[in-house]
Amino acid sequence: MMRALYSGVSGLKVHQTKMDVIGNNISNVNTVGFKASNVTFADVLYQTSSNATGPNAETGRAGQNPMQIGLGASVSAISTTIETSGGSQRTDNPFDLMIEGDGFFVVNNGSGNYFTKAGSFKIDASGTLCNASGYAVMGWQVDPKDPTKTVADAVSPLKVMAPENQFSEPEATKAVYFAGNIDSKDSSFDSETGKLTAFSIYDNLGRSYTVNLRLNQRESGAGADAQKIENEYVVSIVDILDSNGDSILVTFDADGKATAREDVTFTFGGVEFEVNADGDSEEYTVTSDDELVLAFNPKNGKFAGIVNGDDVDDVYDEDSEEDYSSVDFVLSVGGVDKNPFPEAVDVDFSKMTMYKKSGSTKIEPTKGDFNGNNAGRAAGNLKKLTVDSVGMIYGVYDNGVSKLLGQVVVATFANPAGLEAVGGNLFATTQNSGEFDGIGEDVSASGGQFNPGVLEMSNVDLSTEFTNMITTQRGFQANSRIITTSDTLLEELINLKR
């Protein structure tokens, strides 16, 4: 009689435990990254009233099964469905990440690493990527030897908006190329001004300069005997301006009179140019003793070469192995010790042609080489951060540069269900989960990926939870009936003496 009472009590306890788990699951139905739990029961040790016996051939008696009375139920396991993914919620926040795979984010509170499926992150005041509780997101840092890669080393906090990442370093221009067509019938070539064009460059500090050029048809002879050469053009430097449109070749006194700067020198294709300013007026000119000649094939209008005028005949030699497609522009500002231009700028004219187009000339300069490299850039301010599908964090700067700042990595475990939930959507390792190696792995190493701008929601299935709630309620109700019925029997037993 008493056994039935205590069996009913144990049944109430285990069903109450199951209801507690169901209640926790349902309360976290909208918790980011939450993993539902479920309860399984087991019967308790049995009291044996008669042991089993085997058949006895000598006596002819058959075997008997054991007779046992159970002592109730117990909770055998409360397991977490940690490997089942929850639904996807789009947020469009670049630091909201969902893991499509078995890995866990690694976060650190300053005293140890924890693991989570909740990828709702933000940037704190020090520029560190962290979760809502202030735990730093851990990952790999950029390789100092190759800024396009990260180093698979011990994880450390991702300080993606540290002061050194707020700016992108400037870079001096190393190449420029011209494309377009020159028409010898263009009326611009009949004037002293000629055809004007310009190209821009950056120095080592990210400052922009504009080099103004003039193209004139080359002449043979002098005076009245001068004859224009239709397929040859003299390229001259007119001025060099800073980003404000002011010339860097001269300085002006309080009266506006120009004086040539002695600390600025420049050559173009080996031709030395000189600034003429006498300090008595605002006027100044740029001249040279030699000519830099842009030549085209007179038969087909194709580019022939650009060279010093004394060597122009060499560009028409079809057997020549010399490359006449480009020339060096060398600029020194502030003297040798302060010059912000580390090397010459290669200026390529090989994309130019000389076809007839009804007097229309079009010249288009472009910074960089034909592959878009060596264009140089100004210093850049950080505009935004992006995260790709493998966790690479990039800073996008207003000078067009995209720079790698770090990589979010994941931790995987031999038995993820063995992790211990510690609250706050966090898990800690246990002896049965497997250890974290301190390094982690690229999310793609096990076939997974990150889904930026998306959060993993709870994996709680309400239909399953409500069904479990019904069966748990009925189980609890039935066990309570065991107690009340046993109590009635005891009452009848006590009433026997009345």
Side-chain angles (χ1 to χ4, degrees):
M1 196 75 68
M2 299 301 292
R3 286 179 302 205
L5 279 172
Y6 286 112
S7 292
V9 170
S10 69
L12 292 178
K13 288 182 178 179
V14 296
H15 282 84
Q16 181 58 59
T17 299
K18 186 170 183 177
M19 185 58 73
D20 292 339
V21 172
I22 293 171
N24 182 61
N25 288 343
I26 295 176
S27 67
N28 286 283
V29 67
N30 287 319
T31 300
V32 174
F34 178 78
K35 299 299 180 181
S37 300
N38 59 75
V39 180
T40 54
F41 299 155
D43 52 358
V44 183
L45 290 174
Y46 286 77
Q47 179 179 349
T48 302
S49 58
S50 176
N51 292 320
T53 61
N56 191 324
E58 295 180 359
T59 62
R61 296 191 62 177
Q64 287 183 311
N65 293 326
M67 290 187 288
Q68 296 176 292
I69 301 173
L71 301 179
S74 66
V75 175
S76 66
I78 301 176
S79 57
T80 305
T81 56
I82 202 164
E83 295 180 341
T84 302
S85 297
S88 303
Q89 178 186 1
R90 178 178 172 181
T91 65
D92 292 329
N93 180 349
F95 291 120
D96 286 343
L97 300 176
M98 176 178 175
I99 301 175
E100 296 183 1
D102 297 331
F104 292 79
F105 297 107
V106 184
V107 296
N108 189 288
N109 66 350
S111 61
N113 292 322
Y114 294 88
F115 311 94
T116 181
K117 284 284 190 176
S120 179
F121 303 133
K122 61 184 181 67
I123 304 293
D124 71 2
S126 66
T128 302
L129 188 65
C130 62
N131 66 7
S133 300
Y135 287 46
V137 179
M138 309 294 279
W140 295 337
Q141 305 301 327
V142 178
D143 187 345
K145 298 180 180 179
D146 185 354
T148 64
K149 298 179 180 178
T150 54
V151 179
D153 202 350
V155 293
S156 56
L158 293 171
K159 299 181 178 181
V160 293
M161 291 193 69
E164 62 269 21
N165 293 332
Q166 296 295 318
F167 302 94
S168 171
E169 294 182 357
E171 185 178 288
T173 301
K174 298 177 183 177
V176 173
Y177 72 88
F178 281 84
N181 182 71
I182 292 177
D183 193 329
S184 61
K185 301 304 181 183
D186 189 333
S187 59
S188 300
F189 295 112
D190 294 331
S191 65
E192 292 183 2
T193 304
K195 187 69 177 180
L196 299 178
T197 187
F199 65 90
S200 61
I201 55 176
Y202 291 107
D203 69 8
N204 224 19
L205 302 176
R207 296 175 297 196
S208 177
Y209 300 85
T210 300
V211 182
N212 290 335
L213 303 179
R214 178 176 60 234
L215 275 69
N216 295 98
Q217 273 191 316
R218 192 182 186 209
E219 295 182 347
S220 62
D225 297 328
Q227 297 289 329
K228 290 185 177 180
I229 304 175
E230 188 178 53
N231 62 305
E232 295 180 3
Y233 297 84
V234 177
V235 182
S236 305
I237 294 178
V238 178
D239 207 344
I240 303 175
L241 310 178
D242 61 18
S243 58
N244 296 319
D246 298 324
S247 176
I248 67 169
L249 305 181
V250 294
T251 58
F252 295 93
D253 61 18
D255 297 327
K257 296 178 180 179
T259 301
R261 288 180 57 177
E262 296 182 356
D263 62 342
V264 176
T265 59
F266 53 99
T267 63
F268 196 17
V271 175
E272 295 185 2
F273 289 85
E274 183 179 57
V275 180
N276 303 300
D278 55 15
D280 293 330
S281 70
E282 62 181 13
E283 300 295 331
Y284 61 94
T285 59
V286 179
T287 59
S288 64
D289 294 332
D290 297 321
E291 294 179 334
L292 180 63
V293 178
L294 175 63
F296 298 91
N297 190 317
K299 299 177 182 179
N300 54 28
K302 293 182 178 181
F303 174 80
I306 182 167
V307 70
N308 188 296
D310 294 337
D311 303 319
V312 70
D313 291 338
D314 296 340
V315 302
Y316 303 117
D317 183 1
E318 296 181 356
D319 297 328
S320 175
E321 296 180 357
E322 294 291 331
D323 183 8
Y324 298 107
S325 60
S326 64
V327 290
D328 286 341
F329 171 69
V330 180
L331 174 63
S332 175
V333 179
V336 176
D337 295 336
K338 298 181 180 180
N339 184 32
F341 292 93
E343 57 187 81
V345 180
D346 182 74
V347 185
D348 195 303
F349 287 85
S350 62
K351 298 297 183 181
M352 295 291 297
T353 58
M354 188 193 70
Y355 303 138
K356 300 294 186 289
K357 292 185 65 178
S358 302
S360 175
T361 294
K362 185 178 182 180
I363 303 174
E364 295 182 348
T366 302
K367 287 195 291 290
D369 56 27
F370 299 134
N371 297 317
N373 300 320
N374 298 318
R377 58 176 180 260
N381 294 312
L382 183 64
K383 290 176 57 179
K384 64 178 181 179
L385 298 171
T386 62
V387 185
D388 67 11
S389 62
V390 294
M392 295 289 191
I393 303 174
Y394 292 93
V396 179
Y397 298 83
D398 59 10
N399 63 351
V401 171
S402 180
K403 184 168 67 172
L404 179 63
L405 305 179
Q407 182 179 7
V408 180
V409 298
V410 297
T412 57
F413 299 93
N415 176 28
L419 294 169
E420 178 185 358
V422 295
N425 290 327
L426 301 176
F427 295 90
T429 58
T430 66
Q431 291 182 342
N432 199 39
S433 65
E435 293 296 326
F436 173 56
D437 62 4
I439 297 176
E441 64 181 42
D442 188 309
V443 68
S444 63
S446 55
Q449 67 175 19
F450 291 121
N451 197 345
V454 176
L455 289 177
E456 179 181 351
M457 298 304 295
S458 168
N459 68 349
V460 173
D461 184 347
L462 281 178
S463 62
T464 299
E465 298 302 325
F466 285 145
T467 301
N468 290 339
M469 188 186 299
I470 293 171
T471 59
T472 303
Q473 178 189 11
R474 292 305 183 191
F476 188 92
Q477 188 177 34
N479 279 275
S480 67
R481 292 295 180 270
I482 295 173
I483 297 174
T484 57
T485 302
S486 297
D487 178 58
T488 301
L489 294 175
L490 286 171
E491 184 180 359
E492 290 297 328
L493 180 63
I494 293 171
N495 288 338
L496 286 177
K497 76 171 191 172
R498 294 181 181 178

Tab-separated table of all heavy atoms in Angstrom, residues 419-465:
chain	number	residue	atom	x	y	z
A	419	LEU	N	27.652	20.154	-23.674
A	419	LEU	CA	27.935	21.489	-23.155
A	419	LEU	C	26.943	21.851	-22.054
A	419	LEU	O	25.791	21.421	-22.051
A	419	LEU	CB	27.856	22.528	-24.279
A	419	LEU	CG	28.926	22.418	-25.373
A	419	LEU	CD1	28.571	23.332	-26.540
A	419	LEU	CD2	30.304	22.771	-24.823
A	420	GLU	N	27.400	22.661	-21.125
A	420	GLU	CA	26.563	23.083	-20.006
A	420	GLU	C	26.033	24.492	-20.244
A	420	GLU	O	26.811	25.430	-20.464
A	420	GLU	CB	27.371	23.060	-18.709
A	420	GLU	CG	26.592	23.540	-17.495
A	420	GLU	CD	27.459	23.628	-16.256
A	420	GLU	OE1	28.654	23.269	-16.339
A	420	GLU	OE2	26.946	24.061	-15.210
A	421	ALA	N	24.713	24.629	-20.224
A	421	ALA	CA	24.101	25.954	-20.373
A	421	ALA	C	24.311	26.745	-19.088
A	421	ALA	O	24.016	26.254	-17.989
A	421	ALA	CB	22.621	25.811	-20.678
A	422	VAL	N	24.823	27.970	-19.219
A	422	VAL	CA	25.111	28.794	-18.040
A	422	VAL	C	24.294	30.077	-18.029
A	422	VAL	O	24.547	30.979	-17.234
A	422	VAL	CB	26.623	29.130	-17.969
A	422	VAL	CG1	27.434	27.868	-17.753
A	422	VAL	CG2	27.089	29.846	-19.228
A	423	GLY	N	23.284	30.173	-18.926
A	423	GLY	CA	22.457	31.369	-18.978
A	423	GLY	C	23.013	32.407	-19.930
A	423	GLY	O	24.191	32.369	-20.314
A	424	GLY	N	22.170	33.326	-20.327
A	424	GLY	CA	22.599	34.361	-21.256
A	424	GLY	C	22.928	33.832	-22.631
A	424	GLY	O	23.780	34.400	-23.330
A	425	ASN	N	22.285	32.728	-23.030
A	425	ASN	CA	22.549	32.066	-24.317
A	425	ASN	C	23.972	31.536	-24.420
A	425	ASN	O	24.498	31.364	-25.516
A	425	ASN	CB	22.278	33.016	-25.501
A	425	ASN	CG	20.816	33.303	-25.679
A	425	ASN	OD1	19.977	32.450	-25.416
A	425	ASN	ND2	20.500	34.509	-26.117
A	426	LEU	N	24.605	31.268	-23.281
A	426	LEU	CA	25.999	30.832	-23.269
A	426	LEU	C	26.103	29.380	-22.820
A	426	LEU	O	25.287	28.887	-22.032
A	426	LEU	CB	26.825	31.711	-22.334
A	426	LEU	CG	26.863	33.205	-22.647
A	426	LEU	CD1	27.635	33.946	-21.569
A	426	LEU	CD2	27.460	33.455	-24.019
A	427	PHE	N	27.142	28.722	-23.320
A	427	PHE	CA	27.467	27.362	-22.919
A	427	PHE	C	28.918	27.318	-22.464
A	427	PHE	O	29.760	28.090	-22.925
A	427	PHE	CB	27.274	26.381	-24.080
A	427	PHE	CG	25.846	26.252	-24.546
A	427	PHE	CD1	25.347	27.075	-25.552
A	427	PHE	CD2	25.003	25.316	-23.976
A	427	PHE	CE1	24.043	26.962	-25.983
A	427	PHE	CE2	23.688	25.191	-24.400
A	427	PHE	CZ	23.204	26.021	-25.406
A	428	ALA	N	29.192	26.379	-21.560
A	428	ALA	CA	30.560	26.136	-21.100
A	428	ALA	C	30.906	24.679	-21.361
A	428	ALA	O	30.026	23.814	-21.430
A	428	ALA	CB	30.690	26.458	-19.616
A	429	THR	N	32.185	24.410	-21.507
A	429	THR	CA	32.620	23.035	-21.757
A	429	THR	C	32.487	22.201	-20.490
A	429	THR	O	32.568	22.715	-19.367
A	429	THR	CB	34.070	23.000	-22.251
A	429	THR	OG1	34.912	23.635	-21.271
A	429	THR	CG2	34.217	23.712	-23.576
A	430	THR	N	32.304	20.910	-20.699
A	430	THR	CA	32.287	19.946	-19.600
A	430	THR	C	33.198	18.786	-19.971
A	430	THR	O	33.738	18.740	-21.094
A	430	THR	CB	30.864	19.410	-19.341
A	430	THR	OG1	30.443	18.643	-20.491
A	430	THR	CG2	29.882	20.548	-19.119
A	431	GLN	N	33.331	17.844	-19.041
A	431	GLN	CA	34.174	16.684	-19.325
A	431	GLN	C	33.594	15.826	-20.442
A	431	GLN	O	34.324	15.066	-21.092
A	431	GLN	CB	34.338	15.836	-18.056
A	431	GLN	CG	35.168	16.515	-16.992
A	431	GLN	CD	35.349	15.638	-15.756
A	431	GLN	OE1	34.600	14.676	-15.560
A	431	GLN	NE2	36.330	15.963	-14.935
A	432	ASN	N	32.284	15.941	-20.686
A	432	ASN	CA	31.655	15.092	-21.690
A	432	ASN	C	31.411	15.806	-23.016
A	432	ASN	O	30.887	15.206	-23.945
A	432	ASN	CB	30.322	14.537	-21.162
A	432	ASN	CG	29.858	13.313	-21.928
A	432	ASN	OD1	30.670	12.466	-22.284
A	432	ASN	ND2	28.565	13.224	-22.198
A	433	SER	N	31.790	17.065	-23.116
A	433	SER	CA	31.576	17.792	-24.371
A	433	SER	C	32.807	17.768	-25.269
A	433	SER	O	32.712	17.880	-26.487
A	433	SER	CB	31.206	19.249	-24.085
A	433	SER	OG	32.276	19.940	-23.463
A	434	GLY	N	33.969	17.623	-24.644
A	434	GLY	CA	35.213	17.805	-25.383
A	434	GLY	C	35.759	19.190	-25.099
A	434	GLY	O	35.010	20.125	-24.755
A	435	GLU	N	37.048	19.358	-25.209
A	435	GLU	CA	37.698	20.619	-24.881
A	435	GLU	C	37.803	21.539	-26.099
A	435	GLU	O	37.849	21.079	-27.239
A	435	GLU	CB	39.099	20.360	-24.325
A	435	GLU	CG	39.122	19.655	-22.978
A	435	GLU	CD	38.500	20.479	-21.876
A	435	GLU	OE1	38.636	21.723	-21.918
A	435	GLU	OE2	37.858	19.906	-20.979
A	436	PHE	N	37.839	22.839	-25.820
A	436	PHE	CA	38.118	23.843	-26.860
A	436	PHE	C	39.621	24.013	-26.956
A	436	PHE	O	40.301	24.212	-25.949
A	436	PHE	CB	37.440	25.155	-26.507
A	436	PHE	CG	37.788	26.301	-27.419
A	436	PHE	CD1	37.588	26.196	-28.792
A	436	PHE	CD2	38.320	27.483	-26.920
A	436	PHE	CE1	37.912	27.240	-29.642
A	436	PHE	CE2	38.632	28.533	-27.762
A	436	PHE	CZ	38.429	28.407	-29.124
A	437	ASP	N	40.161	23.948	-28.174
A	437	ASP	CA	41.618	23.979	-28.348
A	437	ASP	C	42.226	25.367	-28.257
A	437	ASP	O	43.443	25.520	-28.339
A	437	ASP	CB	42.011	23.326	-29.679
A	437	ASP	CG	41.436	24.072	-30.890
A	437	ASP	OD1	40.808	25.134	-30.701
A	437	ASP	OD2	41.604	23.562	-32.020
A	438	GLY	N	41.397	26.377	-28.087
A	438	GLY	CA	41.912	27.741	-27.960
A	438	GLY	C	42.162	28.426	-29.277
A	438	GLY	O	42.482	29.619	-29.310
A	439	ILE	N	42.032	27.702	-30.387
A	439	ILE	CA	42.297	28.270	-31.710
A	439	ILE	C	41.016	28.412	-32.523
A	439	ILE	O	40.779	29.430	-33.164
A	439	ILE	CB	43.319	27.400	-32.480
A	439	ILE	CG1	44.663	27.398	-31.745
A	439	ILE	CG2	43.503	27.912	-33.903
A	439	ILE	CD1	45.706	26.493	-32.369
A	440	GLY	N	40.156	27.396	-32.468
A	440	GLY	CA	38.941	27.437	-33.278
A	440	GLY	C	39.237	27.070	-34.712
A	440	GLY	O	40.325	26.595	-35.056
A	441	GLU	N	38.255	27.306	-35.561
A	441	GLU	CA	38.429	26.962	-36.970
A	441	GLU	C	37.589	27.873	-37.849
A	441	GLU	O	36.620	28.505	-37.390
A	441	GLU	CB	38.048	25.504	-37.224
A	441	GLU	CG	36.590	25.167	-36.973
A	441	GLU	CD	36.281	23.700	-37.226
A	441	GLU	OE1	37.090	22.844	-36.826
A	441	GLU	OE2	35.222	23.413	-37.816
A	442	ASP	N	37.999	27.960	-39.111
A	442	ASP	CA	37.214	28.667	-40.122
A	442	ASP	C	35.874	27.950	-40.258
A	442	ASP	O	35.811	26.727	-40.309
A	442	ASP	CB	37.973	28.630	-41.451
A	442	ASP	CG	37.337	29.501	-42.517
A	442	ASP	OD1	36.119	29.363	-42.747
A	442	ASP	OD2	38.054	30.292	-43.142
A	443	VAL	N	34.789	28.733	-40.299
A	443	VAL	CA	33.460	28.130	-40.345
A	443	VAL	C	33.278	27.236	-41.560
A	443	VAL	O	32.525	26.258	-41.531
A	443	VAL	CB	32.374	29.224	-40.301
A	443	VAL	CG1	32.377	30.048	-41.592
A	443	VAL	CG2	30.991	28.629	-40.061
A	444	SER	N	33.997	27.516	-42.636
A	444	SER	CA	33.859	26.727	-43.862
A	444	SER	C	34.626	25.414	-43.805
A	444	SER	O	34.468	24.561	-44.674
A	444	SER	CB	34.329	27.536	-45.072
A	444	SER	OG	35.712	27.857	-44.968
A	445	ALA	N	35.471	25.224	-42.763
A	445	ALA	CA	36.281	24.014	-42.678
A	445	ALA	C	35.419	22.770	-42.540
A	445	ALA	O	35.793	21.689	-42.986
A	445	ALA	CB	37.259	24.112	-41.513
A	446	SER	N	34.258	22.909	-41.910
A	446	SER	CA	33.352	21.774	-41.745
A	446	SER	C	32.117	21.920	-42.622
A	446	SER	O	31.080	21.314	-42.339
A	446	SER	CB	32.938	21.652	-40.273
A	446	SER	OG	32.379	22.865	-39.797
A	447	GLY	N	32.233	22.703	-43.675
A	447	GLY	CA	31.140	22.848	-44.631
A	447	GLY	C	30.088	23.861	-44.255
A	447	GLY	O	29.049	23.963	-44.911
A	448	GLY	N	30.330	24.658	-43.211
A	448	GLY	CA	29.360	25.666	-42.792
A	448	GLY	C	29.660	27.032	-43.372
A	448	GLY	O	30.604	27.222	-44.141
A	449	GLN	N	28.845	27.996	-42.984
A	449	GLN	CA	29.066	29.380	-43.390
A	449	GLN	C	28.281	30.298	-42.468
A	449	GLN	O	27.402	29.867	-41.727
A	449	GLN	CB	28.631	29.609	-44.839
A	449	GLN	CG	27.133	29.481	-45.066
A	449	GLN	CD	26.738	29.843	-46.481
A	449	GLN	OE1	27.548	29.859	-47.385
A	449	GLN	NE2	25.468	30.153	-46.683
A	450	PHE	N	28.629	31.589	-42.519
A	450	PHE	CA	27.875	32.603	-41.790
A	450	PHE	C	26.850	33.228	-42.726
A	450	PHE	O	27.094	33.384	-43.925
A	450	PHE	CB	28.794	33.705	-41.259
A	450	PHE	CG	29.715	33.253	-40.164
A	450	PHE	CD1	31.086	33.346	-40.314
A	450	PHE	CD2	29.212	32.736	-38.987
A	450	PHE	CE1	31.946	32.937	-39.315
A	450	PHE	CE2	30.062	32.320	-37.976
A	450	PHE	CZ	31.435	32.422	-38.139
A	451	ASN	N	25.728	33.580	-42.148
A	451	ASN	CA	24.702	34.305	-42.897
A	451	ASN	C	24.585	35.695	-42.282
A	451	ASN	O	23.871	35.885	-41.289
A	451	ASN	CB	23.370	33.559	-42.812
A	451	ASN	CG	22.401	34.018	-43.887
A	451	ASN	OD1	22.597	35.059	-44.512
A	451	ASN	ND2	21.348	33.262	-44.099
A	452	PRO	N	25.292	36.702	-42.830
A	452	PRO	CA	25.278	38.051	-42.233
A	452	PRO	C	23.898	38.690	-42.355
A	452	PRO	O	23.159	38.474	-43.308
A	452	PRO	CB	26.322	38.815	-43.058
A	452	PRO	CG	27.146	37.761	-43.731
A	452	PRO	CD	26.213	36.628	-43.975
A	453	GLY	N	23.577	39.521	-41.361
A	453	GLY	CA	22.297	40.218	-41.365
A	453	GLY	C	21.128	39.328	-40.991
A	453	GLY	O	19.975	39.691	-41.195
A	454	VAL	N	21.429	38.154	-40.433
A	454	VAL	CA	20.394	37.182	-40.056
A	454	VAL	C	20.712	36.634	-38.678
A	454	VAL	O	21.881	36.424	-38.335
A	454	VAL	CB	20.312	36.028	-41.081
A	454	VAL	CG1	19.301	34.977	-40.641
A	454	VAL	CG2	19.948	36.559	-42.458
A	455	LEU	N	19.681	36.406	-37.855
A	455	LEU	CA	19.843	35.795	-36.549
A	455	LEU	C	19.175	34.424	-36.517
A	455	LEU	O	18.137	34.222	-37.151
A	455	LEU	CB	19.226	36.672	-35.456
A	455	LEU	CG	19.947	37.973	-35.111
A	455	LEU	CD1	19.157	38.745	-34.075
A	455	LEU	CD2	21.355	37.701	-34.616
A	456	GLU	N	19.786	33.499	-35.784
A	456	GLU	CA	19.157	32.197	-35.569
A	456	GLU	C	18.193	32.312	-34.394
A	456	GLU	O	18.595	32.668	-33.278
A	456	GLU	CB	20.203	31.127	-35.282
A	456	GLU	CG	19.587	29.755	-35.035
A	456	GLU	CD	20.614	28.679	-34.725
A	456	GLU	OE1	21.822	28.962	-34.872
A	456	GLU	OE2	20.204	27.575	-34.326
A	457	MET	N	16.948	31.990	-34.632
A	457	MET	CA	15.942	32.071	-33.586
A	457	MET	C	15.923	30.779	-32.761
A	457	MET	O	16.673	29.842	-33.022
A	457	MET	CB	14.571	32.340	-34.199
A	457	MET	CG	14.496	33.660	-34.955
A	457	MET	SD	14.955	35.066	-33.922
A	457	MET	CE	13.631	35.051	-32.713
A	458	SER	N	15.048	30.740	-31.769
A	458	SER	CA	14.897	29.556	-30.938
A	458	SER	C	14.446	28.371	-31.789
A	458	SER	O	13.704	28.526	-32.760
A	458	SER	CB	13.871	29.839	-29.840
A	458	SER	OG	13.494	28.652	-29.194
A	459	ASN	N	14.893	27.173	-31.409
A	459	ASN	CA	14.456	25.975	-32.123
A	459	ASN	C	13.282	25.285	-31.416
A	459	ASN	O	13.001	24.114	-31.658
A	459	ASN	CB	15.616	25.001	-32.321
A	459	ASN	CG	16.104	24.384	-31.020
A	459	ASN	OD1	15.719	24.812	-29.935
A	459	ASN	ND2	16.960	23.372	-31.120
A	460	VAL	N	12.600	26.026	-30.533
A	460	VAL	CA	11.429	25.490	-29.835
A	460	VAL	C	10.295	25.297	-30.838
A	460	VAL	O	9.937	26.228	-31.571
A	460	VAL	CB	10.992	26.426	-28.696
A	460	VAL	CG1	9.668	25.946	-28.095
A	460	VAL	CG2	12.069	26.507	-27.634
A	461	ASP	N	9.702	24.091	-30.854
A	461	ASP	CA	8.551	23.770	-31.690
A	461	ASP	C	7.309	23.819	-30.796
A	461	ASP	O	7.097	22.926	-29.961
A	461	ASP	CB	8.733	22.390	-32.313
A	461	ASP	CG	7.612	22.023	-33.279
A	461	ASP	OD1	6.577	22.721	-33.270
A	461	ASP	OD2	7.765	21.043	-34.031
A	462	LEU	N	6.500	24.852	-30.960
A	462	LEU	CA	5.355	25.034	-30.067
A	462	LEU	C	4.364	23.877	-30.150
A	462	LEU	O	3.764	23.492	-29.138
A	462	LEU	CB	4.655	26.355	-30.381
A	462	LEU	CG	5.313	27.619	-29.817
A	462	LEU	CD1	4.541	28.852	-30.245
A	462	LEU	CD2	5.396	27.547	-28.301
A	463	SER	N	4.169	23.338	-31.338
A	463	SER	CA	3.217	22.234	-31.459
A	463	SER	C	3.691	21.035	-30.634
A	463	SER	O	2.886	20.369	-29.959
A	463	SER	CB	3.045	21.839	-32.922
A	463	SER	OG	4.275	21.389	-33.477
A	464	THR	N	4.991	20.760	-30.655
A	464	THR	CA	5.532	19.668	-29.858
A	464	THR	C	5.414	19.973	-28.369
A	464	THR	O	5.052	19.099	-27.565
A	464	THR	CB	7.007	19.421	-30.228
A	464	THR	OG1	7.093	19.066	-31.604
A	464	THR	CG2	7.605	18.311	-29.380
A	465	GLU	N	5.708	21.209	-27.990
A	465	GLU	CA	5.665	21.584	-26.578
A	465	GLU	C	4.241	21.507	-26.027
A	465	GLU	O	4.022	21.042	-24.895
A	465	GLU	CB	6.231	22.994	-26.377
A	465	GLU	CG	7.689	23.157	-26.779
A	465	GLU	CD	8.622	22.218	-26.032
A	465	GLU	OE1	8.364	21.929	-24.839
A	465	GLU	OE2	9.611	21.760	-26.644
